[in-house]
Structure formats: structure tokens, C-alpha cells
Amino acid sequence: MMSFQKDATVVFVHGAWGDGSSWGTVINSISEAGLKVVCAPIPMTTLSDDIAAVQRVIERIDGPVLLVGHAYAGAVIAGAEDSKVKGLVYITALAPDEGETVAEVFYRHTPHSEAPQLAPDKNGYIWIPHEAFSKAFAQHAKADELVRLEAVQRPIHVSCIQEKSPAPAWKKKATWFLIAQEDRMIVEKTQRFMAERMNATIRSAPADHTPSLTLPKAVVDIVLEAAQATLTN
């Protein structure tokens, strides 16, 4: 077991349409390595609200923190300002620069042919269509896993992807990026552009948009690599 600093904690932040259970396949592996684990819930009402929610979680932690964000949560973890945060890990995540919106980086390149057409409902919330779970969101998932993904789906408000991002923490903190090569929601070309712009340590895997579920070892490996570099004694 690695020797981590006292109360060293990995904070996982879920992406759009998910919740903390999206990290369920990797939590125990991270804990068994000797780290504390927290899954930060975000309301997905505005980007500012989501950043504030993560900051409240960080405030409750005594030791150093590694933030791990999936998809939309990449924008969220980059906005969390706290000296306890020692590094950022992006799991096929979105990384807008200061003044950019999530939508701008999400739609930077032509979407995958199987990607769903997304539009807000009358209340401004965006939901994933039923057929998109098996075609684009998690095409490598098993049938029972797809049922659970759809059952726990939480919508994201359009405000989240239209709000301009603050100055991102990835400009001054150590950053890692797992590129999911078979992601049909955020195409590989877009992921690589963001990862290279961030000067992140890049790892790649033949994963779909939900690698924590369908290829958890790749997620565990990059999180522990980042933790070893930022949270050890």
C-alpha cells in the first residue's frame, strides 16, 4: 500500500445525467489503496452552483484533496478554489478555458453519428433520450447496467453549459486526463485538444463515455497515478 498523507482524500464529481453511484465500481479500489473517498453531489442547476457545491465538500475535508471529474464535471472541478486541492483528474471530461462555456468545447468538433440530439425541456433541463444510453452514453455497458444508468438519470440545466467558466485551476495545478477513445458523447479529437491545451498527463483507453462503469481499471489506474504524485508523504 502506498503511504499517503494524513486524511488524503479523492473527491469524485459526477457528470451530467449521473450521480455519485456512477463511481461505484471504482470507490472500493481507491479506498483499499489507503485513500479516503467522497462523491460530491452537484445540483446541475448552474455552473456556479455546482462549483460551490464541490467547494462545500472540500471545506469538510481536513487533508489534501485530489479532484476527479467525469464529463461536464471537468468544468466544475476546475472552478474549485482551495489550497487543499493538489491535483485534478479528468475522466473523458470537458475543460473550458476562462470565458469559454461547456457548450463551446462540447460542440467544438462534429458530433459522433450515434450521439443524441440534445435540447432542453420547457423548464430548461436536458435529459438523455432512452435509446442514447445504449448507443452513445454507455454502448459497452451490459443490459442491466443500462437499466440502472437510465433509472438514476439526473438532468442538467442548460444554464450549466451556457455559463462562462472562471479561470481554471488546471493552469496552475497538476492535471491528468484519461482519453476515452470510443466516447460517442465527447469525441476523442475534442478530448485530445483539451488535454493537450491543459498540458495534462495523458492516458488513453478503449472506453466509452462511462469508463468508471465499463472500464474501471483504467480509471483506478490514472487516479492512483495522480494520487501517488500529489498526495503521498
Side-chain angles (χ1 to χ4, degrees):
M1 185 179 292
M2 303 174 193
S3 178
F4 293 106
Q5 296 176 48
K6 187 177 185 297
D7 294 323
T9 303
V10 174
V11 175
F12 288 106
V13 187
H14 62 82
W17 310 296
D19 63 9
S21 67
S22 63
W23 301 105
T25 47
V26 301
I27 290 171
N28 287 85
S29 295
I30 301 304
S31 175
E32 288 162 7
L35 290 155
K36 293 186 175 182
V37 181
V38 175
C39 293
I42 56 174
M44 295 189 290
T45 44
T46 68
L47 178 59
S48 297
D49 288 347
D50 295 335
I51 291 170
V54 171
Q55 288 179 318
R56 288 193 295 271
V57 170
I58 295 170
E59 287 170 6
R60 297 180 58 246
I61 297 170
D62 293 327
V65 170
L66 179 69
L67 290 177
V68 184
H70 172 240
Y72 162 69
V76 179
I77 64 174
E81 279 288 332
D82 196 299
S83 60
K84 285 183 278 190
V85 177
K86 305 304 179 184
L88 309 171
V89 181
Y90 283 68
I91 307 299
T92 186
L94 293 160
D97 202 345
E98 183 174 8
E100 283 183 338
T101 67
V102 168
E104 284 171 338
V105 287
F106 183 75
Y107 291 110
R108 179 178 175 83
H109 295 292
T110 303
H112 190 278
S113 59
E114 296 285 1
Q117 293 289 320
L118 299 173
D121 63 16
K122 66 179 183 180
N123 297 308
Y125 284 94
I126 304 168
W127 298 79
I128 285 275
H130 167 73
E131 63 278 1
F133 281 94
S134 60
K135 288 184 176 181
F137 194 76
Q139 72 269 20
H140 297 334
K142 299 172 184 174
D144 62 328
E145 293 170 335
L146 289 168
V147 170
R148 289 194 294 273
L149 284 174
E150 186 168 8
V152 303
Q153 163 174 205
R154 294 173 60 241
I156 182 170
H157 198 276
V158 69
S159 300
C160 295
I161 66 171
Q162 292 178 342
E163 182 180 339
K164 292 186 182 300
S165 299
W170 49 258
K171 289 191 173 180
K172 51 191 176 183
K173 295 184 189 289
T175 306
W176 285 257
F177 197 112
L178 178 65
I179 291 178
Q181 297 164 319
E182 298 174 18
D183 191 331
R184 296 177 180 176
M185 297 293 292
I186 306 171
V187 294
E188 181 180 3
K189 190 175 182 181
T190 297
Q191 295 175 60
R192 192 165 294 279
F193 161 76
M194 294 183 291
E196 291 176 350
R197 180 171 70 170
M198 296 159 72
N199 292 315
T201 297
I202 299 173
R203 301 289 179 256
S204 298
D208 61 16
H209 185 63
T210 57
S212 62
L213 174 66
T214 58
L215 203 64
K217 185 179 185 301
V219 175
V220 171
D221 286 349
I222 196 170
V223 170
L224 291 182
E225 178 184 348
Q228 189 168 23
T230 59
L231 302 179
T232 51
N233 290 310

